[in-house]
Amino acid sequence: MLERIAQITERWFLSEEPLFSAFCTHRVAENREMSCHVRVGKGVIEVNPDLCETITDRELEERLRIEVIRILLKHPYDRQPDGCSILARALGSNCVIGDSYRFQKVQMEKPQDFELPSNQHFEYYARRIQGMLPQVKMSLTGDSDGDADGNSDLAANWQQDELMAAQINETIRNVNGWGSMPGKLVEEIIASTKARVDYRKILAGFRATILSEKRKLTRMRPNRRFGFDAMGSRYDFTTRLIIGVDCSGSITKNDLKNFYSTINRFFKYGIKQIDVVQFDVNLGEVQTLLKASENIKVKGRGGTCFQPFIDFVAKHPEYDGALIYTDGYAPKPKIPVGMRSPLCWVLRSEKELKEHEDWMRQSGRVCFIE
């Protein structure tokens, strides 16, 4: 099997520079336990020799090509969509590749197979497919609990790996010619090397900037001046955070699900309590969350106005920070003089970020959910 792969990559060396260069960033290993022919992850290209033994060299070359394209797109190492299963991520990646590249021997899923639009990104397809998984499994295998034709193993080793992503980016930048790679796919690969706004880092950094301290006296720590004869001090870090969620008619149920998914992420950062208020043109009732919540009742669904939420935050200086989850389509609010709580705007997409970030950055940080 390794000899067959060596012959394929020797041909790539002569005519497919990006494929050969990306292949060289990984080592090859055999894995007879997995249910797919070839997969990548954790710096390894794994091949099942039992499954590959029954296919032609042409099909093996196409299956290797698919996985190396995945490496170039960095699907196994970057931008792992929150809340998406292994199968949803694998099929989402397949949709990106199948939408841009036609193979002769391997049938790749395409967006149309799931009634989804073309020219979308990996995270979009993964999240949409996650929402329809029982039907997807049934259509692929005839069984809602089936293996989905090997795709259930395909993304098993995918995880965030910034070092590997950086190495792949450097490989891409050094490519001189793209061989037979379709132009649409080349554009996406090159675009993936550009700096992206990672909302996880933005939110973690925002949380770090709004930490507040509470001083408590304790006998367990000596006073610096008088030793154990006097009580020392201990500082507990706490954060009072309020989040405004845009519930206007332009926000979909999936948008709200993603919004609340990132709200739940703050509990992982150590925040014990979060106040959440929904708004459209009016401000709803403030709800206090003490833990991650899945079942959220949504009210409103009218137009959008940021001013009631901004005014509320300005009148409550006890909040250490405020986030606004929105699509951005509303008049720019007026920030009251003396408002103390820092703001962070969280948008639905990169397109909306580019459209609104100029005025939003005048009042706080800006990021988008991918």
Side-chain angles (χ1 to χ4, degrees):
M1 185 55 58
L2 296 180
E3 185 178 342
R4 292 174 69 189
I5 293 174
Q7 291 175 355
I8 292 169
T9 55
E10 283 174 7
R11 293 195 295 271
W12 286 354
F13 174 75
L14 297 174
S15 59
E16 303 283 2
E17 180 188 350
L19 297 180
F20 180 78
S21 298
F23 176 84
C24 290
T25 63
H26 287 55
R27 65 181 179 87
V28 179
E30 294 186 349
N31 183 347
R32 299 178 187 272
E33 302 299 321
M34 62 187 192
S35 59
C36 50
H37 292 77
V38 187
R39 72 180 182 190
V40 296
K42 298 182 179 179
V44 182
I45 298 174
E46 292 185 305
V47 182
N48 187 325
D50 295 335
L51 294 178
C52 291
E53 193 175 53
T54 61
I55 64 176
T56 64
D57 287 346
R58 182 61 181 273
E59 182 176 343
L60 177 60
E61 193 275 341
E62 287 194 355
R63 292 190 179 276
L64 279 172
R65 182 181 291 257
I66 290 168
E67 298 310 310
V68 174
I69 288 173
R70 264 190 247 282
I71 293 172
L72 289 167
L73 289 167
K74 295 184 293 296
H75 292 172
Y77 302 112
D78 195 14
R79 307 177 303 172
Q80 297 299 303
D82 288 334
C84 291
S85 66
I86 291 172
L87 178 57
R89 282 182 281 156
L91 294 175
S93 176
N94 285 356
C95 282
V96 173
I97 299 172
D99 192 33
S100 305
Y101 210 130
R102 295 294 177 264
F103 297 93
Q104 296 181 356
K105 299 295 183 179
V106 179
Q107 285 289 105
M108 294 264 333
E109 287 81 11
K110 296 180 286 296
Q112 296 87 339
D113 297 334
F114 305 98
E115 299 182 355
L116 295 172
S118 294
N119 301 317
Q120 299 295 321
H121 50 76
F122 168 43
E123 298 86 352
Y124 172 88
Y125 290 129
R127 289 197 177 108
R128 295 300 181 271
I129 292 171
Q130 178 66 34
M132 55 177 90
L133 265 191
Q135 302 94 311
V136 168
K137 287 183 178 180
M138 186 68 70
S139 66
L140 291 174
T141 66
D143 179 359
S144 62
D145 296 319
D147 179 68
D149 196 27
N151 284 313
S152 58
D153 258 3
L154 199 61
N157 290 335
W158 294 8
Q159 62 183 26
Q160 195 83 14
D161 187 334
E162 294 181 4
L163 183 61
M164 179 59 74
Q167 183 180 348
I168 295 166
N169 282 342
E170 187 62 26
T171 298
I172 293 169
R173 295 187 188 101
N174 290 331
V175 170
N176 295 311
W178 288 91
S180 63
M181 199 82 72
K184 178 181 174 182
L185 200 54
V186 172
E187 290 176 3
E188 185 159 354
I189 290 170
I190 293 175
S192 74
T193 65
K194 298 177 181 178
R196 303 177 65 88
V197 178
D198 189 335
Y199 77 92
R200 301 171 184 84
K201 293 180 180 178
I202 295 291
L203 295 185
F206 182 73
R207 180 261 180 187
T209 63
I210 63 176
L211 280 174
S212 60
E213 295 180 338
K214 286 188 177 179
R215 180 174 179 264
K216 291 184 178 180
L217 297 177
T218 175
R219 287 284 185 190
M220 302 303 293
R221 181 173 295 175
N223 186 286
R224 288 187 176 182
R225 180 175 298 179
F226 302 107
F228 282 104
D229 292 336
M231 297 180 73
S233 297
R234 176 170 61 87
Y235 291 87
D236 287 345
F237 291 98
T238 61
T239 298
R240 287 213 63 186
L241 184 64
I242 185 165
I243 298 178
V245 179
D246 182 351
C247 292
S248 61
S250 59
I251 303 294
T252 68
K253 290 182 179 179
N254 278 330
D255 295 331
L256 291 169
K257 183 177 179 181
N258 289 337
F259 285 167
Y260 276 94
S261 174
T262 61
I263 290 174
N264 290 341
R265 178 173 287 273
F266 274 96
F267 291 105
K268 297 180 181 179
Y269 297 150
I271 292 178
K272 304 298 182 183
Q273 174 181 318
I274 300 173
D275 287 350
V276 178
V277 59
Q278 299 176 3
F279 69 90
D280 47 16
V281 292
N282 300 305
L283 200 65
E285 182 181 348
V286 176
Q287 298 176 308
T288 298
L289 302 182
L290 300 176
K291 61 180 181 179
S293 180
E294 294 290 339
N295 299 316
I296 302 295
K297 293 183 179 179
V298 178
K299 299 179 181 179
R301 317 304 279 166
T304 311
C305 182
F306 300 126
Q307 200 62 54
F309 177 75
I310 296 294
D311 291 342
F312 177 84
V313 174
K315 292 176 182 177
H316 292 80
E318 66 269 20
Y319 288 114
D320 301 304
L323 279 84
I324 303 177
Y325 288 77
T326 180
D327 58 4
Y329 296 110
K332 175 184 174 181
K334 181 179 179 181
I335 306 299
V337 177
M339 178 172 161
R340 297 179 181 178
S341 304
L343 287 175
C344 181
W345 300 85
V346 185
L347 294 162
R348 296 184 304 181
S349 67
E350 188 173 12
K351 174 180 176 292
E352 290 167 357
L353 180 138
K354 290 178 179 178
E355 190 169 347
H356 305 296
E357 68 174 328
D358 286 344
W359 67 263
M360 286 183 173
R361 289 195 187 280
Q362 296 174 16
S363 57
R365 301 183 182 210
V366 186
C367 63
F368 67 95
I369 303 172
E370 295 187 288

